[in-house]
Amino acid sequence: MVLPAFNEAGNLEATVRELAPEVAAAAADVEIVVVDDGSTDATAAVAERLAAELPVRVLRHDRNRGYGAALRTGFGAARHPWILLLDADGQFLPAELDRFLPLAREADLVIGYRVRRADPRHRGSLAAVWRWLMRALLDVQVRDVDCAFKLMRTAVVQALALESAGAFISAELLGKARRYGARIAEVPVSHRPRRHGRQTGGSLRVLLRAFYELARLWWRVRRFSPDAATGPTG
């Protein structure tokens, strides 16, 4: 499991404790990788406390490098055949992992889509525009590009040579996965309000940075060659 966390001291422990028994029931050998992306609160201390009790490995950035950078760190550190991505803010229900497992028999990436988003209304509008852009520019034909509940084959993810540091990481992942020939399945997931803290993904600073990176993302995905990597595993 890869959990990116930036200033999630109020959410991280509950998320990990809710997640741990679900993944233990699904797999014999598990590891929860918490990537602390330069938090300025007690996120690192909470993660270290959990590591003393549960199969948690803590990776830390010396400064806030961005959501994409946190995912790349976690993906690169993965040592098991499958990666389960889940944000640390507690908005997803780990118990719904059992919806992903049957689809993983025939897919390389099983990605969630939020049936009803527990976000401010403007984020829903932005998501619709974003989905249109991803389809038009990258031919990413999924319902929810940025849903942070995904089950993915590690070998496939690590072969994609992801480069984004910010909010475009999910679009890059799916765009390159499509060109790579990865098999993608979708599953509906629930979405609940944050218990503590505030979202950063929809902030003006994050959005401006994301749109600044759009042209670069388009070029990265278009020049990505599936021939440079081994084909998807069976």
Side-chain angles (χ1 to χ4, degrees), residues 19-43:
L19 173 64
E22 300 297 337
V23 294
D29 187 13
V30 300
E31 179 179 54
I32 301 173
V33 178
V34 176
V35 183
D36 174 23
D37 187 29
S39 297
T40 56
D41 66 358
T43 295

Side-chain angles (χ1 to χ4, degrees), residues 138-211:
L138 304 179
D139 197 26
V140 173
Q141 305 288 334
V142 300
R143 295 175 177 86
D144 192 348
V145 175
D146 294 315
C147 179
F149 198 167
K150 295 180 172 73
L151 181 64
M152 306 171 287
R153 291 185 190 271
T154 302
V156 172
V157 173
Q158 293 180 345
L160 300 181
L162 299 174
E163 301 171 71
S164 296
F168 274 98
I169 187 73
S170 294
E172 182 187 0
L173 186 153
L174 292 173
K176 286 184 173 180
R178 184 185 178 283
R179 291 179 65 84
Y180 186 64
R183 299 162 298 175
I184 300 175
E186 297 181 82
V187 62
V189 297
S190 305
H191 194 231
R192 55 191 176 188
R194 288 178 63 94
R195 291 172 287 205
H196 303 281
R198 63 183 183 86
Q199 293 169 320
T200 59
S203 70
L204 180 61
R205 178 180 66 84
V206 171
L207 290 173
L208 287 176
R209 179 182 177 88
F211 283 104

Side-chain angles (χ1 to χ4, degrees), residues 122-138 145-146 164-169 171 200-220:
H122 75 277
R123 287 178 64 93
S125 300
L126 287 171
V129 173
W130 183 250
R131 185 167 59 250
W132 179 85
L133 280 171
M134 294 305 98
R135 289 180 176 179
L137 296 176
L138 304 179
V145 175
D146 294 315
S164 296
F168 274 98
I169 187 73
T200 59
S203 70
L204 180 61
R205 178 180 66 84
V206 171
L207 290 173
L208 287 176
R209 179 182 177 88
F211 283 104
Y212 170 77
E213 291 182 356
L214 182 56
R216 295 174 60 195
L217 171 66
W218 177 85
W219 176 246
R220 283 198 296 264

Side-chain angles (χ1 to χ4, degrees), residues 100-122:
F100 289 68
L101 300 178
L103 297 175
R105 299 188 185 102
E106 302 295 335
D108 301 299
L109 282 74
V110 184
I111 62 174
Y113 64 91
R114 290 161 284 192
V115 177
R116 183 175 299 172
R117 294 183 61 137
D119 291 326
R121 185 173 299 176
H122 75 277

Side-chain angles (χ1 to χ4, degrees), residues 18 22 86 90-97 149 189-192:
E18 187 178 7
E22 300 297 337
L86 196 74
Q91 291 195 264
F92 294 102
L93 280 65
E96 293 182 345
L97 174 61
F149 198 167
V189 297
S190 305
H191 194 231
R192 55 191 176 188

